[in-house]
Amino acid sequence: MKIKAQISMVLNLDKCIGCHTCSVTCKNTWTNRPGAEYMWFNNVETKPGVGYPKGWEDEDHYRGGWHLNQKGHLELVAGSKLNKIALGKIFYNPDMPELDDYYEPWTYDYQTLFSPEKKHQPVARAKSQLTGQPMDLKWGPNWDDDLAGSSETMQDDPNIKKIQTEIKTNFEDAFMMYLPRLCEHCLNAPCVSSCPSGAMYKRDEDGIVLVDQEKCRGWRFCMTGCPYKKVYFNWKTNKAEKCTFCYPRIEEGLPTVCSETCVGRIRYIGVILYDADKVRSAAEEPDEQKLYERQLEVFLDPNDPEVVAAAQEAGIHDDMIEAAQNSPIYKMAVEEKIAFPLHPEYRTMPMVWYVPPLSPIMNYFEGKDSIHNPEMIFPAIDEMRIPVDYLASLLTGGNTTVVKAALYKLAMMRLYMRAKTAGKDFDESKLDRVNLTADRATALYRLLAIAKYQDRFVIPKSHKEYAEDTFSEQGTVGYESCDGCGLAGDRQDRFGKKQPQKTSEEIYAESFYGGIWRD
Amino acid sequence: MAHPVQWFIWTVYPYLMLGSFIFGTIIRFAFYPASVTAKSSELLEKRRLMRGSIFFHVGIIMVFFGHIVGIFIPKVWTDALGIPNEVYHMFALVAGGLGGLAALIGMLILTYRRFSDVRVHMTSTLSDLIVNVSLLIIIILGLSATFIVSATQPEFNYRENLSIWGRQLFYFRPNYLLMLNVPLLFKAHVFFGLAIFGFFPYTRLVHAFALPIRYIKRRYLVYRKRPQL
């Protein structure tokens, strides 16, 4: 047994309202720099939809993640080491997405709005942030937000092609849900495994996956290796960048920016202890539908005295063990089994999990005499507006049984709490059928619906005071020291002439005015 | 000294350029290691890069090994092995010609791409443009030196003068007189090639030294541990 601790996240999709606050605060923090304009370490997609980059779930096209080779062993879909050398993929990476698969970043020509008075009303035209040329906008971030224009693009959602249920696009029968996405900080990270320079790594102490900007040589295999397409290439620094899980905040025991600012309080952060020796065999499970359950087997029970002893021996700090014992992630993923990994069939062992959404069914159902007849939830969920097999193709590799069990449980918990608050009778034996007790249903309700800050975020401090050389830590946080990475680094033109830009302080003073952020 | 300019070009200038090459490489890796990247523009344009980059890299690697053989294997060795000069020459022309042609096709595509594609052009630095154009020039010079001279001056054999001078550079006794009767195209190729070595470490070309050989034997997952007290 080789115990490691992993910081992980659960997102309760039932409560996501698709407001994009997480994306915007993340962008303000990490990717508002030249070269990084098109990057969204966190983005929120409307599902069904093609997503960002377009059709990222189509691994026949992008060839990310792992598959099993003929001997049944893990191999990168993008090709084995030998294959990459033999086909000269280092000269040209055939599977890499292009900028247009994301979108070309633009700004508007605001200057014309302030030009001298003219006969016609001035218009601020869209101008590419890459080339400065005027551009026709054909695609952008969240182009299909809230199913906008989805009659054109929705059928390209790879999940729709996979499932049996016919998806209807007419207004009356349409459904949608939001899927906030960030780096999964996988246990079996294919980006780390693809990096030829060894610049990508998993932090031993908390499993956060990072790119060492000093070591990155820009070979771009991480971009193709990641099936979630969450590693980006900065066209200015020519290096890879990705979600950092806001590690400077995590080290201080603070939640990530996306979690902190989530207005729906849908995000949970906690520690999971896992057995690193089991990861490989779990990821080599031949049956895709079982991969979710195999991943659960990799996680260790933090309350088991043997596990605690082994963790202490492995040098895991007591604070980390205590956090694991109080982890909301462990509760939702392992104890209650209401959270699921995103696309476990990529065999990456992702560590950002999702509670499937229930809302449309409950709205349809709550008007009826539901409290007295809770059995109704079972047929209702089977005919839910968001088809269960759509959710299963997102979250469990097609295993509908476990998704249904989670939805039954969530629906039953709601009915129970509704009866309790409304002072109605509720036959508690009904809770048995979904493997709940009255106490656990209440606890689950507190965790999901009340969602107190300290229940959502159980993050141990990293104890940097034990780091051997604090001097070496200086300046390692953020991108400031790297040329062209700073918030507003000087943009050079082709002849090396510096074009002065606003400093970080100026940008800050401009947008943070009187205590509120302005756009 | 009868030919001061020739003397300078064939005894001093090579060391200036090679010195700059070594000095620059050391400085780049010692003080600016983070700036060494492949500087890929594949994100911005993909289709032409595929053709150009594969042609160029495969070609230039063939050409590189061809130059190693041509300069470092003395004629007496191949003579001792009983390889006739004509056979050697034919082989060099065919292999070098193929490699050179591939590199030329690749570089033409890449240069055209760099100047015509708006995204690639606007995000290029002056150094990128210089590198592109000079590689194109050196390949054209190399190919024309090989083919034009072997057609017009078949009696010229670079292994009897140019190669010997090349080897002499490495034991610091270059005899510039050997270079005097070398055809102008060859001279230009050597002169320009040395210049490329001179600016190599200060440009994107330095990525050739970042070849990730260690990946072949590395395990897939990499963990990094912070040193603890």
Side-chain angles (χ1 to χ4, degrees), chain A residues 75-85 89, chain B residues 215 220:
Chain A
E75 193 178 275
L76 290 166
V77 182
S80 63
K81 290 172 180 174
L82 195 68
N83 166 294
K84 282 178 182 165
I85 296 167
K89 286 187 179 173
Chain B
Y215 182 62
Y220 273 133

Side-chain angles (χ1 to χ4, degrees), chain A residues 4-8 185 187 202 206-208 270-272 274 351:
Chain A
K4 284 190 190 294
Q6 170 82 34
I7 293 273
S8 38
H185 298 274
L187 299 183
K202 240 179 130 51
D206 55 15
I208 293 176
V271 176
I272 289 271
Y274 71 99
M351 288 307 285

Side-chain angles (χ1 to χ4, degrees), chain B residues 8-28:
Chain B
F8 179 80
I9 291 176
W10 308 119
T11 45
V12 180
Y13 171 75
Y15 290 112
L16 289 178
M17 292 300 118
L18 293 176
S20 160
F21 175 72
I22 292 165
F23 172 80
T25 308
I26 292 171
I27 295 294
R28 185 84 184 254

Side-chain angles (χ1 to χ4, degrees), chain A residues 10 271-273 292-293 295-302 324 327-340 351 353 409 435 440:
Chain A
V10 165
V271 176
I272 289 271
L273 296 180
Y292 151 66
E293 275 147 344
Q295 184 167 1
L296 282 181
E297 288 169 20
V298 173
F299 300 158
L300 298 168
D301 179 1
S327 167
I329 313 301
Y330 190 79
K331 275 195 198 83
M332 288 192 268
V334 184
E335 286 175 0
E336 299 295 354
K337 297 199 171 45
I338 52 165
F340 303 99
M351 288 307 285
W353 286 32
K409 191 179 246 185
N435 189 22
R440 274 176 45 215

